[in-house]
Amino acid sequence: LALPDPSKEKQSVDGVKRMKTKFNKVSSSGKQLGQVSAFGISGLAALSSHVVHHPLYTLKSHMMMHGAEFRVRKFLDNITRSPVRFLYRGLLSRCMGVMPEKALKIQAWNNVGKKLESWNYSPLPKYLIAGSAAGAATTVLGCPSERIMILAHVRKQGVIHVAKTIGFKGLYQGWRVTLKRDIIFNALFFTIRDVLVDLRVRMSSQHRCGRFERFIAGLPAGILAATVSCPLDVAKTRIQGAILGSKEAEMSTIAVLMDIIRKQGPRYLFKGILPRIYVVPSMMSLFYVFDEAFKQFALDNLY
């Protein structure tokens, strides 16, 4: 039996250590991005990744909101009559929300992860805690922007009409279920994705993980996270798509889930799962890769 080569083991450990500095983005010259610059770059990455995926969010909203009453033919008829307007309805308001929302998410992930790293937390709990923090931060801005987007999708209401009719309280309708969904999704996504990235670093002869490999690592992470959190996303869509002050708008998460099971059946808790497991994993993975690439470009060329 050949004994393990200590130099190779040391290289592998060094490679993993380099990956553990993922929360501290630095250039080859040691420069770091400021908080404002990092926030702005993350917003740009969020905008770039969302525009590509918005039509699938339209499909997901209609499937989750209407459940058993959703009809593919009616959806396709709407696309035929006005493809761009129908598929991209609510894009502007959602982009206004998604840019600071995703920037806040990545800032929470980086800052909490950096703090836990300084306390010598092991990778798994570090990723779970930092991912949960990222999810909680997402809800602050994600809830109102998703509420506006869903009303635009299912009720054809523009942002000005929504602001006039439902007010500030109405924007945060469904914030509890949104918080639960975001914490579960982000804790799972960030943890699984970064565990896979670390595993790839250990297996690689060059002890690195390229951007395409990072994108691929985010897909299974996103699919699992999106599947587990799908019932909460369905409940969120029903609550946020309801008229302010209606019975549906005031229902708790459990009440909405039980109502769906009783009236339509358990399988409708996963209505819209196909567009969700395509749009959410690919968008989150693409956002993460864009965020890292844009920041590295800024560090190497602008600072």
Side-chain angles (χ1 to χ4, degrees):
L1 286 174
L3 293 175
D5 187 341
S7 63
K8 288 185 178 179
E9 286 190 358
K10 183 178 185 302
Q11 286 178 343
S12 179
V13 171
D14 289 343
V16 174
K17 284 183 178 178
R18 284 195 297 272
M19 290 305 299
K20 297 309 178 201
T21 63
K22 67 187 75 181
F23 298 106
N24 295 281
K25 297 291 185 291
V26 297
S27 67
S28 55
S29 60
K31 295 178 181 178
Q32 284 186 286
L33 284 174
Q35 293 284 340
V36 175
S37 298
F39 194 89
I41 293 172
S42 294
L44 180 61
L47 176 65
S48 303
S49 57
H50 182 81
V51 169
V52 178
H53 294 86
H54 191 81
L56 283 170
Y57 273 101
T58 303
L59 174 61
K60 181 175 77 72
S61 294
H62 279 268
M63 292 182 74
M64 290 184 171
M65 182 67 190
H66 299 300
E69 297 175 3
F70 174 79
R71 296 292 179 268
V72 174
R73 177 171 291 183
K74 183 178 180 180
F75 187 83
L76 293 176
D77 286 343
N78 286 324
I79 295 176
T80 304
R81 283 196 294 269
S82 182
V84 175
R85 184 178 180 183
F86 177 71
L87 290 174
Y88 282 91
R89 183 176 285 132
L91 175 65
L92 180 60
S93 58
R94 179 57 180 150
C95 284
M96 290 171 60
V98 82
M99 291 175 69
E101 170 203 329
K102 290 291 191 294
L104 197 61
K105 178 202 296 280
I106 213 71
Q107 289 284 77
W109 161 254
N110 284 332
N111 291 336
V112 173
K114 192 187 302 181
K115 179 60 69 176
L116 296 174
E117 204 167 66
S118 69
W119 292 342
N120 295 318
Y121 269 62
S122 58
L124 193 58
K126 177 173 61 180
Y127 296 156
L128 281 169
I129 296 171
S132 298
T138 297
T139 306
V140 176
L141 296 173
C143 182
S145 68
E146 286 193 36
R147 164 80 157 141
I148 293 172
M149 179 184 72
I150 289 171
L151 288 175
H153 286 166
V154 302
R155 298 193 182 279
K156 301 180 181 180
Q157 296 178 351
V159 62
I160 296 176
H161 175 78
V162 170
K164 285 182 178 180
T165 55
I166 67 176
F168 183 79
K169 180 183 177 181
L171 289 175
Y172 277 89
Q173 182 169 299
W175 72 267
R176 291 182 180 86
V177 64
T178 305
L179 179 64
K180 295 168 189 173
R181 181 206 63 175
D182 288 344
I183 288 177
I184 291 172
F185 174 85
N186 286 280
L188 288 173
F189 174 79
F190 280 105
T191 300
I192 297 169
R193 191 259 188 188
D194 279 61
V195 165
L196 292 175
V197 167
D198 289 350
L199 182 62
R200 174 58 183 158
V201 169
R202 290 190 179 94
M203 295 172 61
S204 171
S205 59
Q206 297 178 340
H207 309 295
R208 61 185 295 275
C209 185
R211 289 199 181 102
F212 180 72
E213 292 170 314
R214 289 166 180 260
F215 173 76
I216 295 300
L219 296 181
I223 290 171
L224 180 59
T227 302
V228 172
S229 59
C230 187
L232 291 174
D233 198 29
V234 173
K236 181 198 75 71
T237 303
R238 297 288 180 97
I239 293 171
Q240 289 192 325
I243 299 171
L244 184 67
S246 66
K247 178 184 176 182
E248 293 78 9
E250 303 300 326
M251 293 173 71
S252 67
T253 304
I254 296 297
V256 172
L257 295 175
M258 294 305 297
D259 187 63
I260 293 171
I261 292 172
R262 185 171 60 255
K263 293 180 179 179
Q264 299 180 345
R267 67 191 182 98
Y268 284 95
L269 293 177
F270 291 90
K271 186 69 174 178
I273 184 66
L274 290 180
R276 177 166 170 78
I277 63 174
Y278 175 77
V279 66
V280 177
S282 62
M283 194 192 77
M284 273 298 298
S285 194
L286 192 62
F287 161 67
Y288 207 160
V289 170
F290 277 172
D291 184 71
E292 292 176 338
F294 291 173
K295 285 176 180 174
Q296 198 60 54
F297 177 84
L299 283 167
D300 293 341
N301 296 278
L302 304 178
Y303 285 81

